[in-house]
Amino acid sequence: MNLNSDSMLLAPMIAGVVGLVVALLLYARVKSQPDGNETMNRIAGYVRAGSMAFLVREYKVLAIYSVVVGLALGLSLGWLAAGCFVLGAFLSLLAGFFGMKAATYANVRTTQAARTGSKSKALLVALDGGAVMGFSVAGLGLIGLGVLYFVYNSSDSLGIVLHSFAVGASSIALFARIGGGIYTKAADVGADIAGKVIEGIPEDDPRNPGVIADNVGDNVGDVAGMGADIYESMVAAIVSAMAIALTIPWDKMKELVLTGDEHSQRIAAVMLPLALSALGLVISVVVIFAARAFSNARPAVVLRNSLIVPPILLTVASYLLVPMFSISQNVTIALAAGAFGGALIGLITEYYTAAKPIRLVAEANLTGPATGIIRGLAVGMESTAIPMLIVVTAAYIADRALGLYGIAMAAVGMLAGTAVVMTVDAYGPIADNAGGISEMSGLGKEVRAITDELDSVGNTTAAIGKGFAIGSAILTVVALFSAFNMEVNHVRIAKGMAAMSLELTTSGVLIGILLGSILPFLVGSTTMMAVGRAAGQIVEEIRRQFKEIPGLLESKAEPEPEKIVDIATKAALYEMILPGMIAVLAPVLVGFILGPQALAGLLAGSLAVGATMSLFMANAGGAWDNAKKFIEKGGLPGHPKGSDAHKAAVVGDTVGDPFKDTSGPGIAILIKVMSVVSLLIAQLIATIGG
Amino acid sequence: MNLNSDSMLLAPMIAGVVGLVVALLLYARVKSQPDGNETMNRIAGYVRAGSMAFLVREYKVLAIYSVVVGLALGLSLGWLAAGCFVLGAFLSLLAGFFGMKAATYANVRTTQAARTGSKSKALLVALDGGAVMGFSVAGLGLIGLGVLYFVYNSSDSLGIVLHSFAVGASSIALFARIGGGIYTKAADVGADIAGKVIEGIPEDDPRNPGVIADNVGDNVGDVAGMGADIYESMVAAIVSAMAIALTIPWDKMKELVLTGDEHSQRIAAVMLPLALSALGLVISVVVIFAARAFSNARPAVVLRNSLIVPPILLTVASYLLVPMFSISQNVTIALAAGAFGGALIGLITEYYTAAKPIRLVAEANLTGPATGIIRGLAVGMESTAIPMLIVVTAAYIADRALGLYGIAMAAVGMLAGTAVVMTVDAYGPIADNAGGISEMSGLGKEVRAITDELDSVGNTTAAIGKGFAIGSAILTVVALFSAFNMEVNHVRIAKGMAAMSLELTTSGVLIGILLGSILPFLVGSTTMMAVGRAAGQIVEEIRRQFKEIPGLLESKAEPEPEKIVDIATKAALYEMILPGMIAVLAPVLVGFILGPQALAGLLAGSLAVGATMSLFMANAGGAWDNAKKFIEKGGLPGHPKGSDAHKAAVVGDTVGDPFKDTSGPGIAILIKVMSVVSLLIAQLIATIGG
C-alpha cells in the first residue's frame, strides 16, 4: 500500500471526524442525564455562566491578539500563513468551547448520579464529560492538519502552512494556560484565605462568595487551559516531525522506508506522523469505550488502565501495520519509546505525589510550616531526575532508530493517546465540581462520600496527566529545536550560504544559552506575582461583601459570586499579558537582533531550565497538596485536621497552588511556544549573522 | 619590558608573599587587642574550640579523599599531577585555617571594642579579622600558582600541573562549602526551632545549648566555606585563562600582543592572568589600608566603597601598564568588563535583598506565611535576570575584545579583587559572632547597639559578596568550558583526529544538556534534605538537655553546647558526601562512558540551570531574611516583632536559610567543580566517541 494514495490522504481527516462525532454523541448523552434539584442547578448555573463568561472574554482578547499577529504574519510571510495561523487558533478555541460546555453540564449531573447512590453511574457521567474535551481536542487537531495536508501536500508552501497552524495552536495554549492558571489559583487562594480571615467558614461553604469562582477556576484552568495545552503539544509534535521530514538531508533519512526513491520516501516520512496520530485516535476511541464498559470496577483502576493500555495497543498496531506500507520497524521503535516513556513519566509523577515522599513531607510539618516547605521543595527537586532520564532514554532510543526524525516520532508516539489523557484530565475538575455542588447544595454525607472518592482519583490522574504533559512538552521541544535548525540550514544552503554553526563554544550560542536560562524564571516570577495580586483583590471583595451585605454570615442573605468571578476574570486576562509577551517576543527579538545562532542557544538554554523547573514546580506543588490530604485522612495519628501539623500543611498547599497549576505549566508552555515561534520565523532570520 | 623576564616571573610570588605578610601582621594585630572579661572569653572559647574541632575533623575526611583522588590521579595522569592536586588542596586548607583562627579571635575582641564604646575601633577589629582570611586566600593562591608557573613555565606538563592544582582547590571548596553550609544552617534552624519548642527562650539565649553551634556555624560556613569557594574561583579563573592561552588556535590569539612572534605572544598570554591577579592583590592591599584609614566613617559606606573602588583602580592600572609590555588595550577592556560586571552584580543583589522587593515580601506576610513565601520565591526568580544579563554583557564585550581568551580574562578581572571581597565577607560572621557573644555575656544595650549596626552592615555586604561569588562562578565556568573544549581538540588534532563537533543538534550534545540540567536539582535536593535531617537531630538533643539537665531552664545549670557541636559536625561531614560525589563523579562517568561531546553538553546544561538556580535560591533566601529584619525594625507599622506578620516572616526566613547558605552556594560550586574536573580529564577522554 502507498501512504500517499488518495484514500490514505483522507485517513487523518476521517479519524478526526470519527473523534468529533464521538465527542458530539457523548455530549448529547451527558446533556440527557438528569440534573437534580433547583439548588443544584442554580449553583451549577453560576459555575457554567462564570466559566462561559471567562471564555467569551478571553476569546475577545485572543481575537485582538490573533488579528495583530495575523496581520504581522500576512505582511511578512504571506496571507496563506495568516489564514493557517487563524485556523490553528480557531480550532483550539472551538475544542475549548465544546469541552467547557460539556464539563459544566457534566458536573451537576455527576452530583445527581451520586445522589441516586450509583458510583458507577457517577463515574460514567464524569468520564463522558471529560471525553467530550478529549475527543474534541484530538479530533479537531487531526481535522485541521489533515485538511491542510490534503490541500497543500504537493505545494512548496506546505512547511509554512504547517508552522503557521502550529503557531496558532501555541498562541491560544499560551494564553489559555497562563490566564486559566492565574484565574484558577487566584480564586482558590483568595477563597481559602478569605475563609480563614472571616472566621468559621469552612471549605466550599455556600456563604463564601469566592467558592463559585473557585469552581469556575477548575473548569477554566484544568479543562480549557489544559485542553489548549495538550492540543498544542499534539499539533506541535506532528508538525515538528513533518517539518523535519521536509527538510532533513537525505542521507539521514534512508532507513525509514524499505523501498522507493527519495521523493516517495520523503513524502511517506511527511505523511507518517499524521497517519500514526490517526491510528492513535482510533485506539483512543476503543480504550474509552472499554473503560466505560468497566465502570463497575474501582474508579482508580479504570482511569489508571486507560492511561497504560494505549501505548501497548499503539505499539502492537504499528508493528502490524508498518510492514504493509514497506516502512521500517524502526518507526515502531521510535513510536514505542515515546509512548511508553510518557506512561512511565506519568507513573513516576504519581509516585512522587502519592507514595513515600508524601509521608515524608507530611511528617516534616510536625515541626512547623517551614520544615514542611523545605521538604516539599526537596522532593520537587529530586523528582526532576527520573522523568528527565526517561525523556533522555526515549530520545536516545528514537535517535538510534531513526535519527532526529525519530525523536520527533517519539513525541508523536507520546501524544498519540492525547484523547485518552485529555479525557482523564478533564474528568478531574468535573468530579471536583460535583463535590463542590453537593456541598453547596447541602446534600447528605453519602453523596459527598461518592463524589469525594471520584475527586480523589481525579487528583491522582491529574498528577499523572501533568507529568505526562510536561514530559511530552520536553520531547516535543527537542523535536521542534531540530526542526528549527534544519529549516534555517535548508534556507541557507538554498541561498548558497554555509550551514549555520551551532558549536557550543561559539559566543553567540553561549550567550543565547545564558539568556535562555533566564526566561523560565521570568515567567515563573510574573505568574506567581500575578496569582498573589489577583488573590489579594478577591480577598478584599469577599471581605467587603461580608461587611456590607447584612445577614450574609448568618445565611440570611445571598452572596454576590458574580462579582468575584468578574474580578478573577479581569485579573487573569490582564495578568496573562506580560508572561505571554515574554514567550512570544523573546525568540522574535533574539532571532532578528542576534540571529539564528543565538536563537538556537536561547531555545537550548530555556529548554534545560524550563524542563526541570516545570517538573520541579509541578511536583513540589503536588507533594504539598497531597501531604495536606494525607494528614486530613488521618495519616499522622494524633494530628487530625485542624491540628498544628495540618495548619502547617495548609501553608505548603497554598504555596503549591500557583507552583503546580500556574507557574509550572506556564513554564512548560513557554518552551513550547518559543520553539514553535522560532520554527515559524526560521526562514526570515536564517541569513542573519554568521 | 618582557612579561616573561625573570623578574616578571617572580612578580606573582612576590605579590602573594606580600599578601601573606599583610595577613600575618593583621593577625598579630587582632590577637594583641584586649579580649574582655571571663564570661566573654569562655563563650568565645567554646566557639573557637567548636570551629577548630570542625575544621580538624573536616580536614581528616578531606585527607582521606585527597589520598584516594591523588592515587587515582597519580596512576592515570602521573605523580606530578597528584602532587599538584595535593598542593592546591593543601593551600586552600591552610588559608581556611588561618582565616578561622583570626575570625574566632576577632569576634570577642570586636565585642570588647564595642564595650569600650568605640564603634570605629570595633569596625577596625572586625575588618582586620576578615582581612586575614582575605589576604590568606589571595596570597596563598598566587604563591601556589606562581611557584608552579615559575618551575614549569617551559615544560610540556604545564597544562596538567595547572589543571591538577585547580582540581585540588575545587575539591576542598566543594566539601568545605557544602559541609560548612549544612553545618551552619542545621545549627541555625535547629537552634531556632528548639527555641520555639521550649517556650520562653529568645534568640541567642545562653541557656539554649544550640546557640554556640549556631555561632560556630557562622565561622564554618561563612569564613572557611566561603574562603575555600572564593579561593577556588580565583584559581579556576586564572587557570582557565592560562589553559586557553596554551591551547587556543593561533589565529584567534593574534590581537593580544602588539609585536612579537607566536611563541613569545603565547607565553605572554599564559603569564598575563597571573600578572594581572598579582596587580589585583597589590591594589587590594591599598584599598584595605585606605578603608582602615576611614574607620571613623559610617561602616556601611566604608565597606561598600571597598567593593566599588578596586575595579576602578584595576582598570586604570591595567590601562597604564599594558602598553609597557606591548600588550593590546583589549586586555584592559576584557578585564574591566569582568571587574565592573562583578561590582554591578553585587549592587543588584543588594537591591533585591534590601530595597523595594523586601518591602513587598514583608507586606505579603500580612496575609500569612504562604503569601510571604510565594512573594519571596517570585522575587528570587525575578532577581536572576539582571545578574545574568550583566554576565552575558561582560562575556560579550570580552569576547569582542579578545575572543574566548577574553572571557577568561573577564573572569580574572572579576576576581582580581578577591582579597577585598573575601575581607568584607569574613567581616560579616565576625560582627555576627560579636553580637552573639555580647548577648550571651549579658553585656548592656549600648554594646549590643554597636554590634547590631556592624552586624546589619555585614548582612548587606554578605548579600553583595554572595551575588559576586555566583556571578564570578558563572563567568569562570564559561571560561573553563571553553578551556575544556580546546584541550579536547588540542589532543584530538595532535592525534590526527578531527576536532570534536559540538553542534547543538548532535544527539550526544542534546542528551548531555538534558542530563546536565538535572544535576543542580539533585544537589539542591540532597543539601536541603541534609539540613532538614541534621536540624532534626539537633532539636532532639536540645530537647533532651532541657529535659535531663535539672535547672537548665532556670539558668541554674550550664548547657552542654559541645554535644550539639559534635552532632552538627558529624552530620555535616556525613551529609556532604552524597552531593559532593554527584559533583565529582557526574563529569567523570559521563566523560568516560558517553565521551567528550556529551560531557560538553552536560557542562552547558548544568551551567544554564545551575547559574540561574543558585542566583534564585541565594536571592530568595536573602529576601526572606531581610523581610523578617525589616518587620523587626518596625517596617510594618502595627505589626511589631512577635505579631502574626512577623511570625509569618520567620517561616520564610527559615525556608530561606538552607536556600541561601547551603543549596544556592552548593549549586554554584557544583558547576565550577564539574568544569574543573572535566578540564583535568579532558586529555584522557578526548578520543572517546565521535
Side-chain angles (χ1 to χ4, degrees), chain B residues 335-429:
Chain B
L335 203 68
F340 284 98
L344 273 177
I345 291 175
L347 295 178
I348 285 296
T349 310
E350 189 190 353
Y351 167 77
Y352 273 112
T353 54
K356 190 181 152 221
I358 296 314
R359 176 181 295 273
L360 289 176
V361 175
E363 285 168 358
N365 282 303
L366 290 172
T367 39
T371 39
I373 285 173
I374 290 175
R375 189 63 61 90
L377 289 166
V379 164
M381 288 182 180
E382 189 190 313
S383 76
T384 60
I386 299 179
M388 289 297 286
L389 286 176
I390 294 171
V391 168
V392 166
T393 308
Y396 178 79
I397 294 172
D399 179 68
R400 289 298 293 265
L402 279 181
L404 290 173
Y405 178 72
I407 295 180
M409 288 306 280
V412 169
M414 205 180 262
L415 286 153
T418 286
V420 176
V421 172
M422 189 62 234
T423 296
V424 173
D425 261 327
Y427 158 90

Side-chain angles (χ1 to χ4, degrees), chain A residues 325-341:
Chain A
F325 297 91
S326 307
I327 286 170
S328 153
Q329 287 293 6
N330 284 334
V331 168
T332 305
I333 293 174
L335 204 68
F340 284 100

Side-chain angles (χ1 to χ4, degrees), chain B residues 456-509:
Chain B
S456 111
V457 176
N459 281 320
T460 304
T461 55
I464 298 178
K466 218 167 282 168
F468 179 90
I470 297 176
S472 63
I474 301 169
L475 211 49
T476 305
V477 169
V478 174
L480 285 167
F481 178 69
S482 306
F484 162 74
N485 292 312
M486 279 175 202
E487 181 77 21
V488 168
N489 283 331
H490 193 66
V491 172
R492 289 172 70 99
I493 288 162
K495 294 197 177 172
M497 297 173 74
M500 159 176 72
S501 162
L502 284 184
E503 284 289 321
L504 267 180
T505 45
T506 317
S507 64
V509 174

Side-chain angles (χ1 to χ4, degrees), chain A residues 98-112:
Chain A
F98 280 158
M100 283 275 269
K101 272 269 182 210
T104 54
Y105 284 119
N107 53 12
V108 64
R109 287 161 174 80
T110 303
T111 315
Q112 174 61 17

Side-chain angles (χ1 to χ4, degrees), chain A residues 193 367 369-371 373-375 377-379 381-382 384-385 388-389 391-392 396 399 404 474 478 481-482 485 500-505 507 509-511 513-515 517-518 521-522 524-525 528-529 600-601 604-605 607-609 612-613 616-617 651 654-655 658-659, chain B residues 193 367 369-371 373-375 377-379 381-382 384-385 388-389 391-392 396 399 404 474 478 481-482 485 500-505 507 509-511 513-515 517-518 521-522 524-525 528-529 600-601 604-605 607-609 612-613 616-617 651 654-655 658-659:
Chain A
I193 290 178
T367 38
T371 40
I373 285 173
I374 289 175
R375 189 62 62 90
L377 289 166
V379 165
M381 288 182 180
E382 188 190 313
T384 60
M388 290 297 287
L389 286 176
V391 169
V392 166
Y396 178 78
D399 179 67
L404 291 172
I474 301 169
V478 173
F481 178 69
S482 306
N485 292 312
M500 161 176 70
S501 163
L502 284 184
E503 285 289 320
L504 268 180
T505 45
S507 65
V509 175
L510 270 179
I511 284 172
I513 289 178
L514 293 178
L515 288 178
S517 71
I518 309 171
F521 282 92
L522 285 184
S525 168
M528 300 267 286
M529 288 280 206
L607 167 62
V609 177
T612 41
M613 274 298 279
F616 158 55
M617 295 184 87
V651 174
T654 310
V655 173
F659 246 58
Chain B
I193 291 178
T367 39
T371 39
I373 285 173
I374 290 175
R375 189 63 61 90
L377 289 166
V379 164
M381 288 182 180
E382 189 190 313
T384 60
M388 289 297 286
L389 286 176
V391 168
V392 166
Y396 178 79
D399 179 68
L404 290 173
I474 301 169
V478 174
F481 178 69
S482 306
N485 292 312
M500 159 176 72
S501 162
L502 284 184
E503 284 289 321
L504 267 180
T505 45
S507 64
V509 174
L510 270 179
I511 285 173
I513 288 178
L514 293 178
L515 288 178
S517 71
I518 310 171
F521 283 91
L522 285 184
S525 168
M528 299 267 286
M529 288 279 206
L607 166 62
V609 176
T612 41
M613 275 297 280
F616 158 54
M617 296 183 87
V651 174
T654 310
V655 173
F659 246 58

Side-chain angles (χ1 to χ4, degrees), chain A residues 26-44:
Chain A
L26 291 174
Y27 183 77
R29 208 191 138 73
V30 166
K31 265 202 89 168
S32 74
Q33 301 299 312
D35 59 2
N37 67 28
E38 203 189 320
T39 314
M40 288 163 65
N41 270 292
R42 186 170 47 78
I43 292 162

